[in-house]
Amino acid sequence: MASSSSLVLILATALLLATSFAQLTPDFYSESCPGVFSAVRSQIGIALEKEKRMGASLVRMFFHDCFVNGCDGSVLLDDTPTFIGEKRAGPNMNSVRGFEVIDAIKAAVEEVCPGVVSCADIIAIAARDSVVELGGPNWDVKLGRRDAMTASQALANTSIPAPTSNLTKLISSFAVQGLSVQDMVVLSGAHTIGQARCTTFRNHIYSESNIDGFFAGTRQAYCPPSNGTGDNNLAPLDIETPNFFDNSYYKDLIAKRGLLHSDQELFNGGSTDSQVSEYSENSDAFYADFVAAMIKMGDIKPLTGYDGEVRKNCRVVN
């Protein structure tokens, strides 16, 4: 029979392992911070009242965070003299925005329950609330993530698919994260909200054939052909309802009005055409599959238990 000290050690080890491999759950903060959802929601409402585009930016932030070492809040970390974060990586620079909104949410949550809710979980809730605020589907966000104490600019440069990606590259980039082709197509539907910079779609509107000519002309009016001229001019990713979360994005693809090359690749005579057609005709199917894919993406390599930390300031490690 094991000694009492050995038994204590075994129980402690078992508890550590159980906690380290804990599963995310929607009720993670039901006792420790029941006010987290109202705190996040109020700040999202304030942010979107100022700028509807911010909702799309917060959804993009969740995506860019999860694709680099999992959904761990690493995208929020600022550079320091001794630390290189992910904000200046190519896919993030001039693309991921809304860090000040996350700061405001964190401050509001800290007022309710200091030191409890991770920044990684705040991003996940903010993405959901942004979709809902813009008319999209609701879902129970799985929670319990902890915050990374490291970041990887190198992985941010290689893991996040570029707007110039072809279908093969898109499929492989999502597959590396454990996401299926269906997940890729439906998550791309987040482009039903938000805008993109001229530099990300210039080549598509001037040099490619899989685009409606009239649509290309309207975009060219705001995006000059010369690099460096008008690079930061914005255009809506969904020409019909850029501030409303619906299935118009897929209707645009069928009409060859995808703004980015990577968008139009989803409907260009390839294996994903049928799924795009389905979502263009059935918004309920799009909403249901989008919710499932967002939950699945949120499960990418979360830090739980004793891994990571709960940051006091989302921009720096404790």
Side-chain angles (χ1 to χ4, degrees):
M1 181 178 292
S3 67
S4 59
S5 59
S6 297
L7 184 58
V8 170
L9 179 60
I10 292 171
L11 290 173
T13 301
L15 178 61
L16 175 60
L17 288 173
T19 307
S20 297
F21 293 96
Q23 297 297 307
L24 303 180
T25 174
D27 60 359
F28 186 82
Y29 297 113
S30 60
E31 294 185 6
S32 60
C33 190
V36 61
F37 296 112
S38 58
V40 175
R41 191 179 308 114
S42 65
Q43 292 301 316
I44 292 295
I46 293 170
L48 268 61
E49 186 174 349
K50 293 178 181 177
E51 181 192 13
K52 293 293 185 183
R53 179 189 171 208
M54 185 55 68
S57 297
L58 293 172
V59 175
R60 181 181 296 122
M61 181 187 291
F62 185 47
F63 173 81
H64 283 227
D65 185 41
C66 291
F67 264 55
V68 182
N69 283 329
C71 312
D72 59 5
S74 59
V75 72
L76 301 174
L77 291 169
D78 285 341
D79 289 355
T80 74
T82 58
F83 180 88
I84 298 176
E86 298 166 13
K87 290 181 177 178
R88 291 193 297 165
N92 292 335
M93 200 164 184
N94 298 316
S95 174
V96 177
R97 57 195 292 273
F99 300 109
E100 71 285 352
V101 176
I102 298 298
D103 292 339
I105 295 172
K106 178 65 171 175
V109 172
E110 288 294 299
E111 285 289 324
V112 177
C113 40
V116 175
V117 181
S118 69
C119 300
D121 277 347
I122 285 175
I123 297 176
I125 300 171
R128 187 273 309 274
D129 286 0
S130 294
V131 170
V132 173
E133 186 77 12
L134 294 176
N138 197 356
W139 66 92
D140 292 331
V141 180
K142 293 169 66 175
L143 302 166
R145 302 170 190 82
R146 287 167 63 85
D147 296 321
M149 301 167 69
T150 60
S152 177
Q153 189 175 109
L155 276 180
N157 277 321
T158 58
S159 298
I160 300 168
T164 55
S165 298
N166 61 26
L167 184 60
T168 299
K169 177 60 177 176
L170 290 170
I171 291 172
S172 64
S173 295
F174 278 73
V176 167
Q177 306 297 337
L179 298 171
S180 68
V181 176
Q182 175 176 301
D183 296 327
M184 183 270 292
V185 176
V186 75
L187 288 171
S188 297
H191 283 180
T192 191
I193 52 176
Q195 301 185 63
R197 295 183 304 127
C198 165
T199 187
T200 65
F201 59 83
R202 176 182 280 121
N203 189 66
H204 182 50
I205 63 174
Y206 281 102
S207 305
E208 298 181 1
S209 60
N210 60 336
I211 185 170
D212 175 76
F214 180 79
F215 173 71
T218 63
R219 295 303 97 208
Q220 290 169 7
Y222 299 94
C223 183
S226 301
N227 289 332
T229 305
D231 284 0
N232 292 321
N233 291 351
L234 298 172
L237 288 158
D238 170 355
I239 195 172
E240 299 292 341
T241 53
N243 293 322
F244 189 76
F245 196 97
D246 57 18
N247 65 339
S248 292
Y249 166 78
Y250 298 104
K251 297 177 182 178
D252 286 340
L253 296 186
I254 291 175
K256 291 193 174 183
R257 297 187 304 188
L259 184 63
L260 306 178
H261 173 85
S262 56
D263 287 329
Q264 197 58 56
E265 279 288 285
L266 303 185
F267 192 83
N268 194 32
S271 61
T272 55
D273 284 14
S274 60
Q275 191 178 346
V276 169
S277 295
E278 179 188 6
Y279 292 152
S280 74
E281 298 168 357
N282 189 339
S283 59
D284 289 341
F286 166 48
Y287 286 169
D289 290 350
F290 182 81
V291 164
M294 286 291 282
I295 293 171
K296 185 176 178 180
M297 184 172 71
D299 280 338
I300 298 175
K301 295 189 295 185
L303 298 173
T304 59
Y306 293 106
D307 293 331
E309 64 181 10
V310 175
R311 287 188 219 134
K312 298 175 184 176
N313 180 337
C314 290
R315 294 176 180 263
V316 295
V317 297
N318 292 342

